[in-house]
């Protein structure tokens, strides 16, 4: 999957399933989501998890920092690209974004907005790493989603602390291309007809 195809898929479905426990693997497989983020597993089973979703044509991203036994460096990313073969990674680390891009993986950079300094450093981090998309956490910061959207050229994903459909919709209306949730009940919510920003390609 290339970047344009990812943007088109997220624009259509608008939901990303964040899988954090084994019992959610099957639920995400049968949910109507635009992509899956795997935050579970280890070097022994992560390739199996990735193949599971790719066999059903669901784009899958791996969170390297959450994969047991995997080094957080260029060797770890090389292992992912060569042996696991996800569509991409999601990470907070600039160096992993850069390494993943060298291996042809799509990249989502995760930013935690805890204060105004974090927002400023987030702008600089995205400018330096040039990821394919940015995930802003928590998602319950609509004004900052809108501000970030005005200042960067890549799509924004909103994730974290979402509890209901209204919060999902608000994030979309403020400029997020999609919302990411670990709550499998929210994967069932219908938000496909909500307005979206125009994807940047």
């Amino acid at each position: 999957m290339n970047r344009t195809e990812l943007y088109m898929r997220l624009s259509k479905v608008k939901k990303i399933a964040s899988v954090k426990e084994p019992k959610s693997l099957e639920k995400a497989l049968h949910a109507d989501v635009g992509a899956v983020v795997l935050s579970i597993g280890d070097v022994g089973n992560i390739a199996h998890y990735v193949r599971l979703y790719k066999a059903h044509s669901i784009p899958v991203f791996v969170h390297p920092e959450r994969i047991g036994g995997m080094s957080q460096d260029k060797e770890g990313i090389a292992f992912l690209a060569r042996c696991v073969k996800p569509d991409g990674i999601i990470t907070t680390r600039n160096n992993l974004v850069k390494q993943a891009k060298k291996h042809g993986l799509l990249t989502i950079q995760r930013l935690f907005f805890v204060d105004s300094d974090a927002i400023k450093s987030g702008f600089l981090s995205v400018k330096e790493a040039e990821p394919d998309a940015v995930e802003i956490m928590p998602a319950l910061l609509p004004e900052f989603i809108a501000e970030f959207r005005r200042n960067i050229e890549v799509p924004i994903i909103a994730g974290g602390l979402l509890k209901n459909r209204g919060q999902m919709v608000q994030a979309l209306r403020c400029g997020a291309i999609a919302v990411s949730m670990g709550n499998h009940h929210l994967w069932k919510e219908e938000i496909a007809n909500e307005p979206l920003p125009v994807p940047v390609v």
Side-chain angles (χ1 to χ4, degrees):
M1 168 169 286
N2 62 39
R3 180 167 57 180
T4 300
E5 291 170 337
L6 175 67
Y7 294 168
M8 291 178 64
R9 184 176 174 94
L10 293 182
S11 294
K12 180 179 179 181
V13 184
K14 307 177 187 176
K15 294 178 292 184
I16 297 173
S18 180
V19 178
K20 302 176 182 178
E21 50 189 5
K23 67 181 182 180
S24 295
L25 286 165
E26 190 74 15
K27 293 174 181 176
L29 190 66
H30 300 291
D32 180 24
V33 294
V36 166
V37 170
L38 293 174
S39 295
I40 60 168
D42 54 45
V43 292
N45 59 24
I46 190 63
H48 168 69
Y49 293 163
V50 167
R51 287 194 298 269
L52 180 68
Y53 292 107
K54 296 191 84 169
H56 289 78
S57 300
I58 300 173
V60 56
F61 287 75
V62 169
H63 192 333
E65 294 98 316
R66 301 281 180 87
I67 306 305
M70 197 174 81
S71 59
Q72 308 305 308
D73 53 23
K74 62 181 181 180
E75 286 78 17
I77 296 300
F79 165 77
L80 269 181
R82 182 177 63 252
C83 302
V84 180
K85 301 180 181 179
D87 292 285
I89 69 164
I90 183 167
T91 180
T92 60
R93 298 173 59 177
N94 278 22
N95 66 310
L96 296 188
V97 170
K98 294 174 182 178
Q99 289 297 326
K101 290 172 65 174
K102 290 180 181 179
H103 289 280
L105 296 173
L106 293 169
T107 56
I108 301 173
Q109 187 164 8
R110 177 174 284 173
L111 303 175
F112 292 96
F113 284 175
V114 295
D115 56 27
S116 57
D117 288 338
I119 294 171
K120 292 177 183 177
S121 63
F123 282 126
L124 296 175
S125 182
V126 171
K127 183 176 181 180
E128 178 188 347
E130 298 182 335
D132 297 300
V134 172
E135 182 182 35
I136 291 177
M137 300 185 78
L140 308 182
L141 297 171
E143 66 271 27
F144 295 113
I145 294 173
E147 178 183 349
F148 226 73
R149 176 63 188 168
R150 288 192 297 270
N151 287 279
I152 65 171
E153 296 182 349
V154 296
I156 292 171
I157 297 163
L161 301 182
L162 291 167
K163 294 183 178 180
N164 56 58
R165 184 182 186 278
Q167 293 170 339
M168 296 162 68
V169 170
Q170 184 178 35
L172 294 173
R173 289 178 175 169
C174 288
I177 192 175
V179 287
S180 176
M181 305 82 59
N183 183 339
H184 64 88
H185 296 293
L186 295 182
W187 301 344
K188 302 175 184 178
E189 292 288 353
E190 179 53 58
I191 57 174
N193 294 321
E194 294 301 326
L196 278 176
V198 177
V200 178
V201 295

